[in-house]
Amino acid sequence: MLSASDFYGDSDITKNCHGLWVTEYAVSTMGHGGNTNAGSANLVFDKKSKTGVVVVTNQQGEAVFCNGIPKIIFGSFENNPIYTNAKITKRTDISGNYVLSRGLFDGVTKFSSCLGYLPLAQGENPDSYTQGDIPALTRISDNIYMLEGSTDFLYQSETSDGKIILEYSSMAYVQSDTVKYEFISVIIFAMIFFLTIVMLTIKGIKKLAKKYRAVPAGKAIIAGQFARIAVGIVLVLLITAIVKKAVLVIMCITAGAGAIVCLVSAVLTAKALFTEKEMKKSARVRYAVSVVCNLFATGFVVYFQLFNFWT
């Protein structure tokens, strides 16, 4: 069995697989993990001893194997110099919102960076941090944190503009001021998308049953609903499919056209809302919801897709 000193190198500076420089307590290992429902994989390679381990599992509780087997091969972190020699001389509060550094922060798919959203809050202990109510990190030195439930260490550094970076061998998190609100907006748009599908389905059933009746600005409302569906489909395709630039341009034009239709629909629906005197209160609520949904969809496309499109 290799010792902990074989697992971690003695150099002062090394470069991890994401190209971020790690100083002070550098490690000689690099690796990557793959996770999905009821399964996980983990690869760890030690450059110093030229030894690697790959763990592939297909069951719940797989972290026991993915984290435990490398520990058996390379040694326990309790005996690691990073852990045993760690001292805390100053404390930096790292509370805040973080996003994966490998996310896309510009261009038509930047909304996908919200999928790596990580909120951190300081626990009762000033050296512990939680994600929601779940323990996430424990500070063991000024710039080193241990990831809860694993043997991974995260190193704290800063970007040129003073934002905190939390990095380890397979990925890094960068502090973000806007990701929380972007994440919320993505969730809201997803809810609007599925609500629109339900509403169109109900209208289709009524149409087949010949119980659907014309309403003021009805065509504008339906056009807006179909436009929101088109926008949602385009956004999903943008993060799930690899397309050529020409197809990308077509997708963005489609989303832009959908945003314009949503905006026009919002205007016409709002006009009917304020000019129809005999409209029932329940209908007014539906019209108001339609206006808000269309305006939100328009803003969503402009911010996430059309803004910085040519970056």
Side-chain angles (χ1 to χ4, degrees), residues 130-148:
T130 60
Q131 179 183 359
D133 296 326
I134 303 173
L137 301 176
T138 301
R139 190 197 324 264
I140 63 173
S141 77
D142 294 349
N143 298 93
I144 303 293
Y145 300 81
M146 188 169 65
L147 191 64
E148 189 71 27

Side-chain angles (χ1 to χ4, degrees), residues 219-254:
K219 292 182 179 180
I221 293 173
I222 293 177
Q225 290 172 335
F226 276 109
R228 295 200 298 267
I229 296 295
V231 168
I233 292 173
V234 167
L235 296 179
V236 171
L237 289 175
L238 282 172
I239 61 173
T240 58
I242 300 175
V243 297
K244 295 181 179 179
K245 186 175 181 180
V247 179
L248 179 65
V249 172
I250 292 173
M251 285 186 173
C252 290
I253 292 174
T254 302

Side-chain angles (χ1 to χ4, degrees), residues 25-105:
Y25 296 108
V27 300
S28 68
T29 60
M30 61 182 181
H32 193 66
N35 299 283
T36 187
N37 292 334
S40 188
N42 192 26
L43 179 150
V44 179
F45 178 74
D46 178 26
K47 295 180 287 183
K48 182 178 179 181
S49 64
K50 295 182 172 58
T51 303
V53 57
V54 178
V55 183
V56 180
T57 66
N58 62 349
Q59 68 175 66
Q60 296 287 358
E62 62 273 6
V64 174
F65 301 103
C66 289
N67 296 325
I69 292 177
K71 180 178 178 180
I72 293 173
I73 294 175
F74 295 119
S76 173
F77 74 90
E78 287 89 350
N79 300 320
N80 192 291
I82 294 179
Y83 189 80
T84 57
N85 298 332
K87 294 180 181 179
I88 300 176
T89 60
K90 64 177 181 178
R91 289 177 170 86
T92 302
D93 187 3
I94 62 169
S95 300
N97 301 303
Y98 292 81
V99 64
L100 278 174
S101 62
R102 60 189 179 194
L104 301 173
F105 303 104

Side-chain angles (χ1 to χ4, degrees), residues 20 94 98 118 120 137 143 145 154-157 164-168 171-175:
L20 299 173
I94 62 169
Y98 292 81
L118 174 68
L120 288 179
L137 301 176
N143 298 93
Y145 300 81
L154 279 76
Y155 182 82
Q156 173 194 332
S157 58
I164 295 174
I165 300 176
L166 299 174
E167 54 182 308
Y168 64 109
M171 67 179 69
Y173 285 94
V174 181
Q175 198 172 33

